[in-house]
Amino acid sequence: MTGPVTLSYEGPIAIMTIDNPPVNALSYAVIDGIKAAFDTFEASECEALVIACAGRTFVAGADINTFDDADFSAAPFNALIGRIEASPRPVAAALFGTVLGGGLELAMACHIRVAHPATRLGLPEVHLGLIPGSLGTQRLPRLAGLAKAFEMISTGTPISAEHAVGAGIVDHIADDPKGAAIHAVADYAHSHQPPRRASELTIPDIDQAPEIIAQAKAAAEAKPFLPTLGAIAAALEAATRSFAEGERVEAAEFEKLRATTTSRALRHIFFAEREAQRVPGLPKDIQARPIKSVGIVGVGTMGGGIAMTFANAGIPVTLVETSQEALDRGIGIIEKNYAGTVSRGRLTEEAAKERRALMTGATGMEALAEADLIIEAVFEDMSLKLDVARKLGEVAKPGAIIATNTSTLDVDKIAEATGRPADALGTHFFSPAHIMKLLEVVRGAQTAPDVLYTVMKLSKTIGKTAVVSGVCYGFIGNRMTEMYLRESEAMILEGATPQQIDKVVESPRWLGLAMGPNRMGDMAGVDVMARIVNEWVESGEGPQAPSYRALVRALFHLGKFGQKTGEGLYLYEGRKPIPNPATEALAKELAAMHNIAPREHSEQEIFERLIYPMVNEAALILMEGIAYRPGDIDVVWTSGYGWPTWRGGPLFMADEIGVGEIVARMDHYAATLGNEHGYWTVAPLLRELAASGQRISDWRPAS
Ligand code: COA
Ligand code: NAD
């Protein structure tokens, strides 16, 4: 037998081995292979069967790629695992790694499950906008109870092997699950007991079904924009009637979900996050530089968070500040952060101590002489950054990587100042750096391929979702945000209120971000935003129209910095934003000053004016080669700015709306609002895609 599934024998026990790297996903070839191997087993005299896997994990799920196939059907696999379960001879699954989705569904159709202690088991389909489609909604409640099934299916969070034993999902834990599974099926076969079939069990907490189903329905009603939740409730409710009824409902609900925008968006993000890790054009034999220690210059908001990120991943960090006092303050904040995590029960005292012990402080750059990677996170001031870069170029050992955390400054200039630009690049962490997933890795003009490769690989070790950006103002994310903030402020000067704008952005009907632009601006700091805008404009590179972001610049001038001063775009009662009449008055004053006529803003106009210029900017970012691919831009927004994953990022959403429609509306605003400053000039790429009817998500650079 060749292919990804083979059958071997240990005495009277047949062993089916699935070998489909990297995660033994259930491709068509694997399903065919399981069927052929099971046919052989059935035709044999073997006493029992063990299903095992080669490589790093038991089956980690269905092959998500196949969900896009027009003729995809879960039915053949479901019938196959039904045959496995119906077998009169015992079948065991030998579990290790990440037993997810279709992997757990295959295991639940077996009669015995033996797991390695480090196994994680789960039904994560909800993260793909789906419900389990191979009877997971039916066998899990019968093994573990409805309440547990609801919890696992609705959160998608995997559980440990030990937890799975307690829940009745796993029968035994063993360091050698395959060996233990062979023993278990042999014993079972000799006991002559009929195999235990999950589909025939009574749901253990059936008496609590009304409450649990009501809870599932309430969860669905609370988030009507997530169709998965309603499907979970329907499938679990059907499970309480009969297995056959449950099978029918699960199949129908799964099929409906597979075609929804939500599920397609989530699948798009799953693959886009992984594709973003791949740097095109790297030599095949490229080697990462070893990163065993990290240096950080500047232990402020960002430096402290970045230090925690590395210490959390077990990597020692040397922290450098200008004075002992600044160092003590920075480290004090880190310690307070860890203490907070311990008190919330998310970290043990011991683990916090271990992490803190990985940090050493110093007040001179010489302490960084042995660091493999040095990240500079000093104030956003070019002359200071250049000075620090020069010093780092002198003290860093040969081969060390030198990174800057700048959010807006020219990474190439900073790289040049190190005297070894091939070793330099940008690492743009987001605040709070130890929490936010996104890391924009900024590729300088001279960054060596192995330096880029090393940092991309390292990003996974430190739990970040990395996206490469070229050098430009604001990189991918903040460059697009600038368009969004520009239009938000422009509409306020035209008479819209901050709360009216935020409401549209926060409403799942339109977008569903946790915070609209004005709440976000007040939280990030009006002062921070205004300083960046002022510097950009004053450098001559930013827009020169006097009305450009006039509101935030005026608020800054008035000392209204947002949440931290109790007043900005909003007024604050503690942390609660309330409408600010002073903002409306200021907006009127500025409108008069800049000859801006008042306008009514429908929700649709607010949405279009915030989002379409961002999509247009993304098209420019692609044309300039700043981002490698459209999916990278979507990942920046879902990982760094709270764009709902179920909307798939701004470009996936643009395709759902239609690029042609976006271009037509950009033209409409150019005609109605005027295009004196070029704000509504459509990017050539967007116009080309609209003309040819192509999706921007499918666009790839010519080379
Ligand atoms: N179908 C198709 N491809 C899959 C896959 C699946 N179910 N699960 C993982 N892959 C691919 C990834 O795309 C990636 O491919 P690449 O190397 O070409 O980019 C590769 O397998 C490794 O995945 P990655 O996520 O980078 O590895 P990891 O070790 O960090 O995580 C998993 C492994 C299994 C935990 C993770 O991939 C995962 O959660 N997969 C999805 C599981 C799932 O949802 N199953 C239910 C499907 S209905
Ligand atoms: P911060 O003001 O909180 O901290 C800067 C720290 O650098 C201070 O503690 C200061 O004492 C120290 N410092 C200054 N000069 C130094 C020197 N010569 N040697 C050693 N330490 C020195 O600033 P921050 O918000 O952490 O920002 C740091 C960098 O990160 C900036 O480039 C900023 O643009 C960028 N950034 C900030 C955010 C954010 O949200 N705060 C997000 C992304 C990127």
Side-chain angles (χ1 to χ4, degrees):
M1 207 179 279
T2 55
V5 184
T6 50
L7 203 62
S8 59
Y9 303 92
E10 288 233 354
I13 312 293
I15 297 155
M16 184 194 293
T17 306
I18 302 168
D19 186 4
N20 182 31
V23 298
N24 288 313
L26 295 166
S27 64
Y28 295 123
V30 168
I31 296 171
D32 288 348
I34 297 174
K35 182 173 178 301
F38 191 69
D39 288 346
T40 309
F41 163 70
E42 277 198 320
S44 75
E45 298 286 313
C46 290
E47 287 177 1
L49 174 68
V50 169
I51 302 183
C53 284
R56 69 189 212 212
T57 179
F58 190 78
V59 173
D63 182 339
I64 300 166
N65 293 292
T66 62
F67 295 163
D68 285 333
D69 296 346
D71 56 355
F72 172 86
S73 166
F77 181 66
N78 296 355
L80 175 60
I81 62 173
R83 269 179 65 201
I84 292 175
E85 188 186 51
S87 168
R89 287 175 271 175
V91 182
L95 310 177
F96 66 106
T98 42
V99 182
L100 304 175
L104 182 54
E105 290 171 304
L106 168 63
M108 289 192 294
C110 297
H111 311 124
I112 304 169
R113 286 157 291 279
V114 183
H116 183 270
T119 313
R120 310 277 305 165
L121 305 97
L123 293 174
E125 286 82 353
V126 66
H127 298 310
L128 300 173
L130 295 168
I131 56 169
S134 291
L135 286 320
T137 64
Q138 305 304 306
R139 289 198 174 95
L140 186 58
R142 288 173 166 80
L143 282 170
L146 261 186
K148 187 82 216 160
F150 173 55
E151 180 195 314
M152 286 180 69
I153 295 169
S154 61
T155 64
T157 309
I159 59 172
S160 67
E162 198 185 340
H163 188 155
V165 170
I169 302 165
V170 160
D171 302 291
H172 310 289
I173 293 188
D175 288 331
D176 169 18
K178 189 164 100 179
I182 292 171
H183 279 296
V185 277
D187 287 351
Y188 217 113
H190 295 155
S191 74
H192 299 292
Q193 279 180 27
R196 181 172 179 263
R197 301 189 175 96
S199 67
E200 293 170 358
L201 302 174
T202 304
I203 295 173
D205 52 357
I206 191 73
D207 52 327
Q208 286 157 46
E211 294 83 33
I212 298 162
I213 300 301
Q215 204 188 335
K217 285 184 178 167
E221 274 159 28
K223 290 188 178 169
F225 49 92
L226 292 182
T228 324
L229 303 180
I232 292 172
L236 291 180
E237 188 170 39
T240 64
R241 297 198 286 270
S242 71
F243 192 80
E245 171 67 357
E247 181 167 14
R248 193 189 60 70
V249 172
E250 184 195 87
E253 293 291 342
F254 180 87
E255 245 340 269
K256 259 195 274 171
L257 291 172
R258 193 167 68 87
T260 55
T261 305
T262 318
S263 177
R264 287 189 299 107
L266 288 162
R267 273 138 57 191
H268 159 74
I269 289 296
F270 176 85
F271 286 116
E273 281 182 358
R274 282 151 184 87
E275 195 178 8
Q277 312 267 313
R278 284 198 280 275
V279 178
L282 290 180
K284 281 227 153 41
D285 56 352
I286 196 147
Q287 297 288 326
R289 298 186 189 181
I291 305 292
K292 298 219 165 66
S293 62
V294 172
I296 291 172
V297 188
V299 197
T301 311
M302 294 308 288
I306 298 169
M308 289 172 74
T309 303
F310 283 99
N312 294 352
I315 300 174
V317 197
T318 305
L319 301 158
V320 171
E321 259 292 349
T322 43
S323 65
Q324 191 59 43
E325 196 192 346
L327 189 61
D328 291 344
R329 190 179 53 232
I331 292 181
I333 293 172
I334 294 174
E335 285 173 346
K336 224 169 109 191
N337 260 321
Y338 276 136
T341 321
V342 170
S343 71
R344 283 192 298 275
R346 298 219 187 112
L347 192 70
T348 62
E349 188 110 34
E350 198 187 355
K353 271 196 192 130
E354 276 169 21
R355 291 174 189 194
R356 171 63 186 89
L358 286 168
M359 299 183 187
T360 324
T363 51
M365 301 266 196
E366 305 71 38
L368 303 174
E370 288 310 312
D372 297 316
L373 163 68
I374 303 171
I375 299 176
E376 163 277 299
V378 302
F379 303 127
E380 188 79 341
D381 172 321
M382 193 51 149
S383 60
L384 173 64
K385 298 251 186 210
L386 293 177
D387 188 40
V388 170
R390 267 190 293 274
K391 285 191 191 132
L392 290 178
E394 284 161 19
V395 301
K397 67 180 180 186
I401 297 176
I402 302 176
T404 171
N405 189 51
T406 180
S407 26
T408 53
L409 300 173
D410 186 336
V411 170
D412 284 328
K413 282 194 190 140
I414 297 170
E416 199 67 56
T418 64
R420 36 171 130 169
D423 291 338
L425 81 176
T427 47
H428 185 214
F429 287 84
F430 284 66
S431 181
H434 59 296
I435 292 173
M436 293 297 287
K437 289 300 260 183
L438 180 64
L439 174 62
E440 275 183 318
V441 177
V442 187
R443 170 196 68 211
Q446 298 189 59
T447 305
D450 68 330
V451 167
L452 194 54
Y453 178 69
T454 303
V455 173
M456 291 305 284
K457 213 169 152 226
L458 183 66
S459 69
K460 198 160 179 180
T461 313
I462 59 173
K464 298 293 171 200
T465 304
V467 174
V468 178
S469 169
V471 176
C472 66
Y473 175 81
F475 314 125
I476 297 171
N478 285 345
R479 177 169 161 182
M480 287 167 69
T481 309
E482 195 62 41
M483 308 300 123
Y484 171 76
L485 297 177
R486 177 195 80 202
E487 283 309 303
S488 174
E489 287 183 35
M491 287 189 277
I492 296 174
L493 295 204
E494 292 163 8
T497 60
Q499 50 278 16
Q500 187 186 349
I501 294 171
D502 286 354
K503 193 173 145 233
V504 172
V505 172
E506 290 161 18
S507 150
R509 145 127 176 67
W510 290 103
L511 208 53
L513 259 73
M515 243 186 250
N518 301 302
R519 277 174 67 199
M520 185 193 81
D522 270 355
M523 203 180 77
V526 166
D527 52 331
V528 176
M529 289 195 295
R531 277 204 182 94
I532 293 172
V533 173
N534 285 339
E535 205 168 308
W536 190 37
V537 170
E538 280 156 23
S539 74
E541 283 180 37
Q544 297 300 310
S547 59
Y548 188 77
R549 302 211 46 202
L551 181 60
V552 81
R553 294 159 84 185
L555 285 170
F556 174 54
H557 194 70
L558 295 169
K560 297 178 176 183
F561 295 171
Q563 220 180 72
K564 65 179 113 173
T565 57
E567 185 179 0
L569 289 141
Y570 289 94
L571 264 178
Y572 287 86
E573 277 174 359
R575 285 177 152 207
K576 188 174 161 236
I578 53 170
N580 188 354
T583 303
E584 285 170 44
L586 178 63
K588 272 204 185 111
E589 216 178 283
L590 291 168
M593 192 190 296
H594 298 294
N595 283 326
I596 295 167
R599 241 179 110 78
E600 287 289 315
H601 300 87
S602 65
E603 291 197 342
Q604 180 171 343
E605 171 166 338
I606 292 172
F607 172 77
E608 292 176 344
R609 285 182 60 183
L610 293 175
I611 304 305
Y612 295 0
M614 274 174 54
V615 171
N616 195 55
E617 197 65 22
L620 294 172
I621 286 172
L622 288 171
M623 286 170 66
E624 293 166 20
I626 296 293
Y628 290 132
R629 31 182 119 73
D632 289 12
I633 295 175
D634 285 339
V635 171
V636 162
W637 280 85
T638 52
S639 309
Y641 296 83
W643 189 283
T645 44
W646 54 271
R647 286 222 185 265
L651 297 189
F652 181 91
M653 186 172 177
D655 282 327
E656 293 302 305
I657 294 165
V659 175
E661 164 72 5
I662 291 177
V663 168
R665 296 303 289 167
M666 291 279 296
D667 287 341
H668 163 80
Y669 289 116
T672 48
L673 301 171
N675 195 26
E676 188 191 344
H677 308 301
Y679 297 162
W680 298 101
T681 303
V682 174
L685 172 63
L686 217 53
R687 217 175 264 294
E688 274 166 37
L689 292 167
S692 58
Q694 285 171 288
R695 289 168 61 89
I696 192 166
S697 304
D698 295 336
W699 182 86
R700 293 293 179 274
S703 57

